[in-house]
Amino acid sequence: MLKPQVSRQPNSTGTHLLFQKPFIQGSRHASLFLTSASNFKIESKKHFRVSFKPTKIKAVASLTEESTAIKVKAVVTVKQTIGGLMTSVGIERGLDDIKDLLGKTLLLELVSAELDPKTELEKPTIPAFAHRIGGQVVEGDVRYEAEFEVPLNFGEIGAISVENEHHKEMFLQDIVLDGLPHGTVNITCGSWVHSKYDNDRKRIFFTNKSYLPSETPSGIRRLREEELVLLRGNGQGQRKTGDRIYEYDVYNDIGNPDKKPELARPVFGGKEHPYPRRCRTGRPRCETDPSSEKRVGAFYVPRDEAFSEMKQLTFSAKTVYSLFHALVPSIGNVIVDANVGFPYITAIDSLFSEGIEMPPLSKETVWKEVMPRLFKVIAGGADVLRFEIPKPMERDKFFWFKDEEFARQTLAGLNPYSIKLVKEWPLKSELDPEIYGPPESAITSELLEAEIGGITRVEKAIRERKLFILDYHDLLLPFVSKVRELEGTTLYGSRTLFFLTPEGTLRPLAIELTRPQMDGKPQWKQVFTPNYHSTGCWLWRLAKAHVLAHDSGFHQLVSHWLRTHCVTEPYIIATNRQLSVMHPIFRLLHPHFRYTMEINALARESLINADGIIETSFSPGKYCMEICSAAYDKLWRFDREALPNDLISRGMAIEDLTAPHGLNLTIEDYPFANDGLYLWDAIEQWVSDYVNHYYPESGLVASDAELQAWWTEIRTVGHGDKKDEPWWPELKTRHNLINIITTIIWVTSGHHAAVNFGQYPYAGYFPNRPTIARAKMPTEDPTDEEWKSFLEKPEAALLATFPSKLQATRVMAVLNVLSNHSPDEEYIGEEIEQAWADDPIIKAAFEKFSGRLKMLEGIIDERNANPKLLNRHGAGIVPYELLKPFSKPGVTGKGVPNSISI
């Protein structure tokens, strides 16, 4: 705990006044520890007065008879919660009701932004109790009111301290001060305030006015600095549920070696397995592996990072918890044999028509109440897990079978981040040939030219930028030998080539699957092409299933988890540790970090953990996170997380300052890129307006100590395994800052929306995107019996390659829940933050931003209706709407939330 200090202003000879009860830091809309001189007690306040008026009164400034003070009214909005305020029972509830009746629910103290001009000390605070306004509960809000008498020389309000007199924590939404000479003062809290019986330290919330560090008013400068010190913690001890401490740690809680030796996993973060850092929990170390952390108790996140418990917001939290802790285990109990597959393709369809009868959830609750979209009631009252038909399947039952749809989805599907331009020929691996075998690809010019139909040569196609590739060869090949030691899965390195047709669509040309030299066998590789002979046709379908499993794994582990969820956690930690809530950049970024840390904690608990949903359902099995670490090491660069740079790096665009968005797309009809660039430009313009307002000169960026510490910590600690990379942007100018902030906001909004909310539409019918390939190709060293079996029943070979019934059903349930927008979703550009609304210039900039996003809605609708855009319009094709900014609860396939909320 921070010890009380005597602090001095520069050139000051007086000491600052210290408050007796320290204020405690909150959600970053708040707080720190202060102490106060004992002679400043509430009962000694000359102008202290509390009045109760259960009416909607807006206070106005009025002079007392002494003409030395004005009346100021505070209205505090508290959210009604589940398990908190208004719902507790027993003696404590009775005592809290009495406090409400007596008008002593919250003790508030006004803090001046100015020092006393005579003593150069902090001015005494002005206290008042807040009382509940009648029985008002409006849309889950409970309001409290306090009245202060503020001396005319008190100066501008800089902050307000809060002490919760209840026995339960409460969620403070905001505080509004009316009656001050310069108008209403808004204080956005958005934070849990603990009971004084749990912690006697007060909380402090700063006003919504933003300040660069050098501009901080003298009366609250010390509070700003001390707040950040408290938020950083000391790196010791185990974090508790109510803590608000942000610290870094490696991913050492993925495995569970104390439960089973086979559940041991490496530590991710460090030289051997580079990885971003997560929030430290401080749990005890495992007995069998001291480098790993025990998976006991709750997965800590700072209190205000957790899912909201407001009544109207419980849907998302309850559904996600029920998914991981009830539904997924129950599916495993119903489908006893984990290896049983589907006997026929038509049997897969029964998941959408007949469903799976589930055991009762509990006497009090049934499945349909927890997850109504997934469950139907049948005769006899039983609950049946019956999946909704995904939109692509609803439009075209055989969409997953078609080569043109396979190719189209690389541009307008769930993973539009992998397709690349072929720039060099012939294709060649960069891996060590001594370990993995000959590096040359088996895909030849002659083979491709035959597939193209003789209309062009390979060299010309490359020169004209018409040859594209999905390349998972070098990333996956080092793991093939290890993965093949696991039961029920297999793996290859893969390359898939596409040709850009004159119509602007992609056509698949060839798939190469490679097994490295292993187990005394030489390297095996084979090229498969679209075929008009039955045997070749089925081999092509099987090869596609393998490639789709590779792409599904890369999408989930890299494009989705790593490049949005995982890399963002260090941004959140650094923002809370280094940027004061008063900092304008904190207030710009904060809406884009909502719930991300809680979702990431849930992922560590149930998704990416040893024997979790990812490991048991995706091809790499227990090596999923090692592949994710390898991708971070070899592929991830912050500068290329900016959408324009990403497109350029993959050869999907060329810089052209005269073109729209400053780029020429290699494939003109690239739905993700076309919509994404418009969204990127809108975000960049909004960030530019915001940054230029608070930093009228570039020199202010370089001299901003908090900002520089923030960026340094992101690079050297949060992403410390890459701290020496030369590609990290500098942070010296406004242009640097605009680019960095735009990139972070894009990752948490547009990038995440593009790879998350289409999961169920595109992967809900799993043959379109199988997550695992369980069987090797029939042509890889087959026995006579294996080859005969394939020839007699090729459909069985495909079904044996597809996920098992248990794997498919679990993944479908997870994707259905995680693809949906919850009722409390906050969409980008939809609602203005109060701190922005309080500044006319920022308010106008936000309104312009919001207007551009509304225009994007219409532009996307027009593009989807354009028959010339064949990658987003046509018979049976689902319109590309993943980057439409706005959506509704329960809708999949469109909407761009502010943050990585699911």
Side-chain angles (χ1 to χ4, degrees), residues 291-409:
S291 66
S292 295
E293 192 175 81
K294 285 181 179 288
R295 294 172 57 85
V296 293
F299 279 60
Y300 165 79
V301 294
R303 184 66 182 98
D304 291 314
E305 302 293 342
F307 278 137
S308 174
E309 296 180 30
M310 268 51 74
K311 275 190 173 181
Q312 66 270 36
L313 307 185
T314 56
F315 174 86
S316 58
K318 183 169 67 175
T319 302
V320 172
Y321 280 111
S322 298
L323 169 72
F324 292 134
H325 297 285
L327 177 57
V328 170
S330 293
I331 293 173
N333 293 332
V334 173
I335 305 174
V336 180
D337 188 346
N339 297 315
V340 67
F342 293 88
Y344 306 102
I345 294 292
T346 52
I348 298 170
D349 298 346
S350 68
L351 294 173
F352 307 94
S353 56
E354 300 172 16
I356 301 172
E357 188 171 337
M358 299 294 290
L361 185 60
S362 71
K363 292 181 179 179
E364 297 79 18
T365 310
V366 293
W367 287 109
K368 66 180 186 300
E369 294 177 358
V370 179
M371 285 177 256
R373 297 180 66 256
L374 276 175
F375 284 88
K376 315 296 178 188
V377 179
I378 60 173
D383 287 319
V384 170
L385 173 62
R386 185 182 300 163
F387 292 96
E388 294 177 309
I389 299 175
K391 289 181 180 179
M393 184 185 178
E394 196 172 49
R395 289 189 173 221
D396 181 355
K397 186 176 181 179
F398 303 104
F399 79 106
W400 65 279
F401 226 51
K402 299 177 178 177
D403 287 350
E404 57 268 31
E405 182 65 10
F406 168 56
R408 189 190 73 85
Q409 287 184 27

Side-chain angles (χ1 to χ4, degrees), residues 350-652:
S350 68
L351 294 173
F352 307 94
S353 56
E354 300 172 16
I356 301 172
E357 188 171 337
M358 299 294 290
L361 185 60
S362 71
K363 292 181 179 179
E364 297 79 18
T365 310
V366 293
W367 287 109
K368 66 180 186 300
E369 294 177 358
V370 179
M371 285 177 256
R373 297 180 66 256
L374 276 175
F375 284 88
K376 315 296 178 188
V377 179
I378 60 173
D383 287 319
V384 170
L385 173 62
R386 185 182 300 163
F387 292 96
E388 294 177 309
I389 299 175
K391 289 181 180 179
M393 184 185 178
E394 196 172 49
R395 289 189 173 221
D396 181 355
K397 186 176 181 179
F398 303 104
F399 79 106
W400 65 279
F401 226 51
K402 299 177 178 177
D403 287 350
E404 57 268 31
E405 182 65 10
F406 168 56
R408 189 190 73 85
Q409 287 184 27
T410 65
L411 303 173
L414 188 53
N415 185 29
Y417 272 100
S418 285
I419 190 76
K420 298 190 297 185
L421 180 70
V422 174
K423 300 178 182 178
E424 297 179 356
W425 192 261
L427 301 175
K428 190 175 182 180
S429 171
E430 295 181 1
L431 298 175
D432 186 349
E434 294 294 324
I435 299 174
Y436 301 104
E440 293 81 13
S441 170
I443 302 175
T444 63
S445 298
E446 293 76 16
L447 184 147
L448 292 186
E449 287 164 6
E451 288 300 316
I452 294 172
I455 62 174
T456 188
R457 299 184 65 81
V458 168
E459 290 77 7
K460 184 179 180 184
I462 292 174
R463 193 165 56 248
E464 294 178 349
R465 298 186 294 156
K466 291 184 178 180
L467 202 59
F468 298 84
I469 187 171
L470 285 181
D471 190 353
Y472 299 126
H473 184 278
D474 283 11
L475 178 65
L476 297 182
L477 204 64
F479 294 91
V480 169
S481 178
K482 291 190 289 186
V483 169
R484 287 191 170 209
E485 293 176 359
L486 305 176
E487 185 180 351
T489 187
T490 192
L491 192 65
Y492 295 100
S494 69
R495 298 183 178 103
T496 307
L497 286 173
F498 302 86
F499 178 71
L500 181 62
T501 69
E503 293 79 21
T505 60
L506 288 178
R507 187 175 124 207
L509 298 178
I511 292 172
E512 179 184 32
L513 300 178
T514 303
R515 181 200 69 197
Q517 54 192 34
M518 53 181 282
D519 301 331
K521 297 179 181 179
Q523 182 191 75
W524 176 91
K525 65 179 66 169
Q526 186 171 349
V527 179
F528 304 89
T529 59
N531 207 289
Y532 299 98
H533 180 268
S534 60
T535 302
C537 183
W538 276 103
L539 288 173
W540 170 250
R541 288 169 184 161
L542 285 162
K544 277 202 303 181
H546 281 273
V547 168
L548 287 167
H550 301 166
D551 192 62
S552 293
F554 187 87
H555 159 261
Q556 203 63 261
L557 290 168
V558 181
S559 300
H560 185 195
W561 163 254
L562 175 66
R563 291 184 63 181
T564 64
H565 289 264
C566 188
V567 301
T568 295
E569 188 148 339
Y571 308 153
I572 301 172
I573 297 172
T575 298
N576 283 275
R577 287 167 54 88
Q578 300 297 342
L579 298 181
S580 166
V581 68
M582 289 185 281
H583 200 292
I585 299 303
F586 176 92
R587 287 185 163 138
L588 178 59
L589 287 173
H590 185 261
H592 300 285
F593 295 153
R594 179 175 180 254
Y595 298 160
T596 300
M597 291 181 72
E598 174 83 340
I599 288 291
N600 289 0
L602 280 171
R604 300 200 326 268
E605 184 178 2
S606 302
L607 278 174
I608 63 172
N609 59 300
D611 212 29
I613 294 169
I614 298 293
E615 280 198 3
T616 57
S617 303
F618 285 74
S619 283
K622 65 183 286 187
Y623 300 104
C624 281
M625 285 292 284
E626 291 189 38
I627 289 177
C628 187
S629 170
Y632 177 70
D633 183 33
K634 300 178 187 305
L635 305 178
W636 188 83
R637 294 175 47 156
F638 180 87
D639 60 331
R640 290 183 180 173
E641 294 305 288
L643 178 59
N645 293 346
D646 168 77
L647 294 170
I648 292 170
S649 70
R650 290 189 284 123
M652 302 304 291

